[in-house]
Amino acid sequence: MDYSLLTEQARALAEEDGWYVPLLSNASALLYQSLPDLNWAGFYLVRNGALVLGPFQGKAACIHIARGKGVCGAAWQENRTVRVDNVHLFSGHIACDGASNAEIVIPLRDGRGTVRAVMDLDSPVFSRFTAEDEKGLEQFARAVEQAIHWQEENDA
Ligand code: SME
């Protein structure tokens, strides 16, 4: 997978508007169209002390996730990428789509280093995400977070 190209595409899409809605919408579409074997790709945003569903591609998903809950909440709380080969073995995993078997969640931070969102990818294929995918997706996430003009509240 050519993550450099994908990252360049994210940067190019970001040039027109730094608001998180079009940026994360197009970022979701890029991921979902470009990566094989995904059943969900999108973002959750930190809002009022919890994660709330943001732009995504895939089946309708749960709207709120508490800090520390599920793979998304863990990535937010621990401020690090969480890569899971088998979600059924991850304690507290939140099953939004029964087809999901593997997952990777990467935090997006503002200029101060505060986590403002998480990028979540799900796959029906066990162990879908390799260390190489993790590296490439982190590069992609860095481009996206840098393109966003983070505001005090994301909907301000
Ligand atoms: N599985 C996630 C919840 C979000 S859905 O996968 C879209 C989790 O455990 O945090």
Side-chain angles (χ1 to χ4, degrees), residues 40 44 61 65 70-72 93-94 96 103 120 122:
W40 205 89
Y44 278 87
I65 298 177
V71 186
C72 290
H93 169 254
I94 303 161
C96 290
E103 180 163 2
D120 180 14
D122 286 55

Side-chain angles (χ1 to χ4, degrees), residues 10-97:
R11 285 207 184 93
L13 286 172
E15 273 171 18
E16 207 175 307
D17 199 316
W19 191 34
Y20 73 99
V21 172
L23 253 165
L24 297 184
S25 302
N26 272 331
S28 309
L30 271 182
L31 291 169
Y32 200 69
Q33 297 295 320
S34 311
L35 299 176
D37 299 321
L38 296 186
N39 61 312
W40 205 89
F43 297 85
Y44 278 87
L45 296 143
V46 176
R47 185 165 176 262
N48 298 330
L51 290 174
V52 62
L53 183 63
F56 70 94
Q57 304 267 308
K59 283 191 184 166
C62 46
I63 295 172
H64 293 111
I65 298 177
R67 192 171 160 88
K69 297 290 176 200
V71 186
C72 290
W76 174 28
Q77 184 171 50
E78 295 167 25
N79 195 347
R80 66 177 181 91
T81 297
V82 180
R83 181 160 57 99
V84 183
D85 286 337
N86 180 349
V87 296
H88 309 289
L89 301 178
F90 187 95
S91 163
H93 169 254
I94 303 161
C96 290
D97 180 345

